[in-house]
RNA sequence: CGGGAUGUGGCUCAGUCCGGUAGAGCACUGCGUUCGGGACGCAGGGGUCGGAGGUUCAAAUCCUCUCAUCCCGACCA
């Protein structure tokens, strides 16, 4: 493509609307433009990168036995009412009515639609397994869209769904997808981890997230320093520390006593006042859920994971209780609450039972209790894992130290089970003529987010350095002297032979100063840059520079075999994986 | 949903406190000179100052309302 004819509106300055690097660079390189909050237009260059991800996704999905289709973006309310999600799905589901006052929504995901489609067509076990996917624009009315394509409201997503005859076959489908996802992200040139994840509101029994490691990521991931355990912070477990010396031993710890702690409303204030460490205290938080009020007791240095709490209690929702609600059952306000002699149910984190001589609120404003021992002074009706993992915790698999890193979730696979097939009656007849529910799985990839994540991992001060497989153009050919007929003629010929070889080339034939061409080439970041100037041409050399390299090499203008070799080498990464 | 900030030409921003009829740089058009890392000169075009209402002789500037965008937070006892 000739630069002079292509619509690539590059920006010299960072737009104020952009915060993270991928967002800034995509705007500056003329890949995307914002239309409304969280809604973006894909310009030619941006679309080319998107298409590259899509191409890899299609190739690997098809290779894994999945078939592409395209489902509607607008979906009828009835279907969502049938699955129960019309009410369950929050405000992220954009609902509206048509002229006949019938309810519709913009599809944020397609479990209902695909299940509806399949239930009408699949009657026999002979027609299974089935794995269908689509690449489509979805809409989720996010509370707070941000970071450009990273967290938009309208976004391009690949979503796939598998249907199997039983649990075992469904797991097989899941593993096939797991492997396909690994190949996809590898081919995209990303540094990623497959992490165990909470299956969340979508339902199901187990799931993995594919997370690209980047500091700007919104997700926390706990990873083991020794083994390959990796899990989303929402779900990550830890090996519980051995009980402290004297922990729970009522013969060693002195009797519990009340101490005055004036104006101490937080763990920090209590610790500063008593000159102790937060991990010697517990915090007692009152949560409200669909089974009423529950006091949750965790080590003072830790944070409750509401996701885990929800799982432990086996409830649909939890939230911190309103202050007014607490006043009904407690004589003290928050900040002075504790688990000793309370009227409501108490749930404790596993770690609490092993703590010795802890400090907690006395349920009396301005007072705390010390020398409190679990089992002696208070008990919990349930003990389990309800806190978020922190860096330094022990790996649940091997006991080594774990670290917590940030990442961008680019893919998520779930084993759904029969949640949707049951709700929508998607059944088939097995070998014995018996009616059974299809066992489902679902598999998503954020296409735009994958492009953004690739930029987050590959850039420098000058601009993007997208991996070869994702880069819109593989080669930038810079003709520095557009007035010199010989130079132009040579560049035209070189451009023609690049095209003949099928190498996507951005031919900068603009009548611009060299500085502008270099800056734009670096910003767009094609893996290879060819420069032809008057002086070099006179010397009979062509300048070749890899975007990631610091120096350029010179090759004779009439011997371009070296050039083909360099390009083949750059292309080898993707091809190496795709030919596996 | 709560808090903070910002809306002035296509982009980045000044001017707002202290009211006097709109500016800079970049970009764009023409001409000339330049031409290997975002050139220079000259001459131009382009703005209902987010919107509505109000105060005033006079409003980008003061007041009220509203819309949009960005950031932080969304209960951690």
């Amino acid at each position: 493509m000739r630069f002079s004819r292509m619509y690539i509106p590059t920006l010299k300055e960072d737009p104020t609307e952009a915060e993270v690097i991928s967002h800034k660079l995509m705007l500056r390189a003329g890949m995307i433009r914002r239309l409304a909050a969280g809604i973006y237009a894909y310009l030619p260059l941006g679309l080319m990168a998107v298409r590259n991800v899509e191409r890899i996704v299609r190739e690997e999905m098809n290779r894994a036995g999945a078939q592409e289709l395209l489902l509607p973006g607008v979906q009828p309310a009835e279907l969502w009412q049938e699955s129960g999600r019309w009410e369950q799905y929050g405000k992220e589901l954009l609902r509206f009515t048509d002229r006949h006052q019938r309810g519709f929504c913009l599809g944020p995901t397609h479990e209902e639609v695909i299940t509806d489609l399949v239930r009408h067509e699949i009657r026999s076990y002979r027609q299974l397994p089935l794995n269908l996917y689509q690449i489509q624009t979805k809409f989720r009315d996010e509370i707070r869209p941000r970071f450009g394509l990273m967290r938009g409201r309208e976004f391009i997503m690949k979503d796939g769904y598998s249907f199997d005859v039983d649990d075992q076959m469904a797991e097989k489908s899941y593993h096939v997808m797991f492997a396909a996802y690994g190949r996809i992200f590898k081919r995209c040139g990303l540094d990623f981890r497959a992490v165990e994840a909470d299956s969340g509101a979508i339902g199901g029994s187990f799931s993995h997230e594919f997370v690209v490691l980047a500091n700007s990521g919104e997700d926390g991931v706990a990873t083991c320093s020794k083994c390959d355990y990796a899990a989303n912070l929402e779900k990550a477990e830890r090996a519980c520390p051995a009980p402290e010396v004297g922990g729970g031993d009522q013969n060693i710890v002195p009797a519990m006593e009340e101490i005055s702690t004036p104006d101490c409303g937080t763990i920090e204030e209590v610790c500063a006042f008593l000159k102790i460490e937060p991990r010697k205290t517990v915090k007692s938080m009152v949560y409200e859920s669909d089974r009423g009020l529950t006091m949750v007791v965790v080590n003072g240095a830790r944070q409750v994971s509401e996701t885990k709490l929800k799982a432990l209690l086996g409830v649909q929702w939890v939230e911190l209780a309103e202050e007014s609600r607490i006043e009904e059952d407690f004589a003290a306000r928050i900040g002075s609450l504790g688990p000793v002699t309370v009227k409501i149910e108490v749930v404790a984190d596993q770690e609490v039972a092993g703590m010795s001589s802890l400090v907690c609120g006395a349920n009396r404003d301005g007072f705390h209790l010390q020398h409190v021992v679990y089992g002696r002074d208070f008990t919990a009706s349930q003990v389990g894992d309800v806190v978020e993992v922190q860096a330094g915790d022990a790996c649940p698999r091997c006991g080594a130290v774990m670290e917590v890193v940030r990442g961008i979730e680019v893919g998520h696979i779930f084993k759904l089970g029969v949640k949707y097939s049951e709700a929508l009656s998607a059944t088939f007849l097995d070998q014995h003529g018996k009616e059974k529910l299809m066992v489902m799985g679902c598999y998503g990839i954020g296409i735009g987010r994958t492009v953004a994540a690739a930029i987050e991992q590959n850039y420098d001060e000058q601009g993007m350095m997208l991996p070869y497989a994702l880069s819109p153009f593989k080669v930038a050919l810079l003709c520095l002297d557009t007035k010199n007929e010989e130079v132009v003629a040579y560049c035209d010929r070189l451009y023609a032979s690049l095209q003949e070889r099928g190498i996507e080339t951005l031919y900068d034939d603009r009548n611009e100063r060299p500085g502008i061409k270099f800056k734009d080439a670096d910003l767009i970041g094609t893996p290879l840059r060819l420069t032809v100037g008057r002086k070099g041409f006179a010397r009979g050399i062509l300048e070749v520079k890899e975007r990631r390299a610091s120096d350029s090499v010179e090759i004779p203008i009439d011997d371009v075999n070296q050039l083909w070799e360099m390009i083949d080498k750059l292309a080898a990464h993707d091809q190496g994986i795709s030919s596996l």
Side-chain angles (χ1 to χ4, degrees):
Chain A
M1 191 73 194
R2 284 174 184 266
F3 206 135
S4 60
R5 291 199 340 213
M6 191 162 173
Y7 182 52
I8 311 179
T10 58
L11 265 29
K12 195 185 292 187
E13 292 167 278
D14 280 340
T16 39
E17 69 187 73
E19 190 71 8
V20 297
I21 198 78
S22 61
H23 190 193
K24 284 181 187 171
L25 289 177
M26 274 191 272
L27 286 167
R28 282 192 54 203
M31 294 173 85
I32 58 170
R33 285 292 184 267
R34 191 180 63 82
L35 180 64
I39 300 177
Y40 287 84
Y42 300 84
L43 276 46
L45 201 64
L47 186 60
M48 287 172 84
V50 164
R51 292 284 186 247
N52 285 336
V53 174
E54 291 179 352
R55 194 197 71 244
I56 291 172
V57 167
R58 281 198 174 92
E59 283 176 15
E60 295 300 334
M61 289 301 290
N62 292 346
R63 187 215 294 259
Q67 300 168 63
E68 185 171 6
L69 46 59
L70 187 57
L71 300 168
V74 172
Q75 307 177 9
E78 290 88 49
L79 215 41
W80 285 74
Q81 282 155 355
E82 204 177 337
S83 73
R85 288 209 290 184
W86 187 256
E87 277 75 34
Q88 269 178 35
Y89 219 105
K91 289 183 179 165
E92 288 178 11
L93 184 66
L94 185 61
R95 297 152 226 248
F96 57 94
T97 51
D98 68 5
R99 60 166 74 193
H100 305 295
Q101 301 307 309
R102 300 182 66 88
F104 283 91
C105 63
L106 285 183
T109 177
H110 285 68
E111 282 83 9
E112 281 82 359
V113 174
I114 194 87
T115 308
D116 177 66
L117 184 75
V118 167
R119 69 175 165 181
H120 289 305
E121 317 302 334
I122 301 296
R123 302 264 84 116
S124 159
Y125 72 96
R126 291 173 206 273
Q127 294 166 291
L128 297 174
L130 192 59
N131 189 328
L132 302 168
Y133 76 97
Q134 63 168 342
I135 293 176
Q136 203 230 29
T137 297
K138 305 245 191 277
F139 193 92
R140 291 182 192 167
D141 201 357
E142 295 280 349
I143 307 172
R144 193 177 158 207
R146 59 185 128 177
F147 304 154
L149 295 194
M150 207 97 95
R151 187 176 211 66
R153 292 195 293 170
E154 186 179 285
F155 57 99
I156 302 171
M157 182 173 170
K158 187 286 296 184
D159 53 321
Y161 307 88
S162 63
F163 299 84
D164 282 281
V165 294
D166 58 27
D167 234 42
Q168 200 188 338
M169 291 304 286
E171 272 174 40
K172 211 167 147 190
S173 295
Y174 182 91
H175 290 303
V176 169
M177 282 297 113
F178 184 93
Y181 271 45
R183 300 164 63 94
I184 287 167
F185 296 122
K186 225 176 267 173
R187 286 185 63 184
C188 288
L190 296 166
D191 180 14
F192 69 97
R193 296 291 290 267
V195 312
E196 293 178 17
D198 185 71
S199 44
I202 203 157
S205 35
F206 61 91
S207 80
H208 283 86
E209 276 175 11
F210 288 76
V211 175
V212 170
L213 306 181
N215 289 330
S216 54
E218 293 184 278
D219 286 355
V221 178
T223 62
C224 178
S225 55
K226 278 235 179 81
C227 73
D228 63 358
Y229 179 77
N232 188 298
L233 268 194
E234 289 182 342
K235 143 128 193 179
E237 295 168 8
R238 70 200 197 280
C240 214
E244 295 173 57
V245 176
D249 187 341
Q250 48 192 8
N251 296 319
I252 295 175
V253 181
M256 169 175 87
E257 66 176 323
E258 194 175 70
I259 43 174
S260 169
T261 51
D263 302 321
C264 292
T266 66
I267 293 288
E268 290 72 37
E269 287 162 4
V270 172
C271 288
F273 184 77
L274 296 176
K275 299 193 168 51
I276 56 171
E277 290 172 36
R279 57 182 196 84
K280 295 289 185 190
T281 69
V282 294
K283 55 174 114 173
S284 313
M285 298 167 43
V286 180
Y287 276 92
E288 191 172 358
S289 72
D290 40 300
R291 89 183 204 197
L293 286 183
T294 306
M295 175 176 275
V296 180
V297 184
V298 303
N299 186 296
R302 291 192 173 272
Q303 304 216 323
V304 171
S305 159
E306 292 187 3
T307 310
K308 288 182 177 180
L309 180 61
K310 222 156 56 178
L312 183 72
L313 295 177
V315 295
Q316 290 297 309
W317 58 273
V318 293
E319 60 184 36
L320 279 169
E322 300 279 334
E323 216 161 321
S324 57
R325 192 86 169 70
I326 291 173
E327 283 167 13
E328 295 170 19
D329 285 285
F330 290 89
R333 282 189 306 236
I334 58 173
S336 297
L337 300 183
V340 180
T341 58
V342 294
K343 285 188 273 183
I344 62 170
E345 174 189 35
V346 174
V347 168
D349 182 64
Q350 50 192 352
E351 187 179 350
V352 170
M355 290 168 67
S356 75
S357 185
L358 54 87
V359 170
C360 66
N363 292 324
R364 183 177 160 201
D365 284 338
F367 290 89
H368 278 72
L369 297 173
Q370 62 177 354
H371 306 313
V372 177
V373 176
Y374 179 80
R376 182 186 73 180
D377 304 314
F378 75 100
T379 55
S381 60
Q382 247 181 313
V383 177
D385 180 15
V386 291
V387 303
E388 212 167 72
V389 162
Q390 296 170 346
D393 282 347
C395 170
R397 297 268 175 79
C398 73
V401 172
M402 289 194 289
E403 53 186 17
V404 173
V405 297
R406 303 210 62 80
I408 302 160
E409 176 191 351
V410 290
H412 202 156
I413 59 178
F414 303 84
K415 188 177 155 228
L416 287 175
V418 296
K419 175 171 172 161
Y420 296 95
S421 47
E422 193 167 31
L424 301 177
S425 308
T427 62
F428 64 97
L429 293 183
D430 70 7
Q431 303 90 304
H432 312 296
K434 207 180 146 203
E435 187 169 67
K436 283 189 157 177
L437 291 171
M438 298 175 203
V439 183
M440 294 173 58
C442 85
Y443 317 96
I445 290 178
I447 302 289
R449 191 183 275 187
T450 300
V451 174
I455 294 168
E456 292 292 331
Q457 278 191 343
N458 300 281
Y459 70 92
D460 64 11
E461 326 69 63
Q462 296 302 317
M464 300 186 278
M465 301 193 292
L466 276 174
Y468 190 88
L470 300 194
S471 184
F473 290 102
K474 312 310 180 190
V475 170
L477 170 58
L478 274 50
C479 178
L480 293 191
D481 192 347
T482 51
K483 299 275 168 59
N484 185 312
E485 282 175 27
E486 281 182 90
V487 171
V488 171
Y490 172 75
C491 286
D492 285 352
R493 281 203 306 280
L494 186 54
Y495 176 52
S497 46
L498 281 157
Q499 280 183 306
E500 269 169 38
R501 294 194 148 241
I503 296 160
E504 290 136 316
T505 302
L506 182 60
Y507 177 18
D508 197 341
D509 60 336
R510 292 176 300 173
N511 183 21
E512 291 287 356
R513 301 169 61 80
I516 290 176
K517 300 191 179 191
F518 285 126
K519 290 289 184 191
D520 277 346
D522 287 346
L523 177 61
I524 293 165
T526 52
L528 209 63
R529 187 185 77 194
L530 310 179
T531 310
V532 184
R534 193 192 317 170
K535 290 176 205 155
F537 183 75
R539 278 168 52 217
I541 60 106
L542 165 67
E543 183 183 308
V544 185
K545 182 178 176 299
E546 276 186 47
R547 178 65 178 79
R548 289 165 186 276
S550 47
D551 299 311
S552 56
V553 298
E554 296 182 342
I555 65 174
I557 54 172
D558 50 1
D559 178 21
V560 287
N561 282 330
Q562 271 189 62
L563 178 59
W564 308 141
E565 280 169 28
M566 289 182 78
I567 293 171
D568 287 346
K569 217 176 82 194
L570 286 170
H573 174 78
D574 177 41
Q575 286 163 358
I577 297 164
S578 61
S579 64
L580 282 176

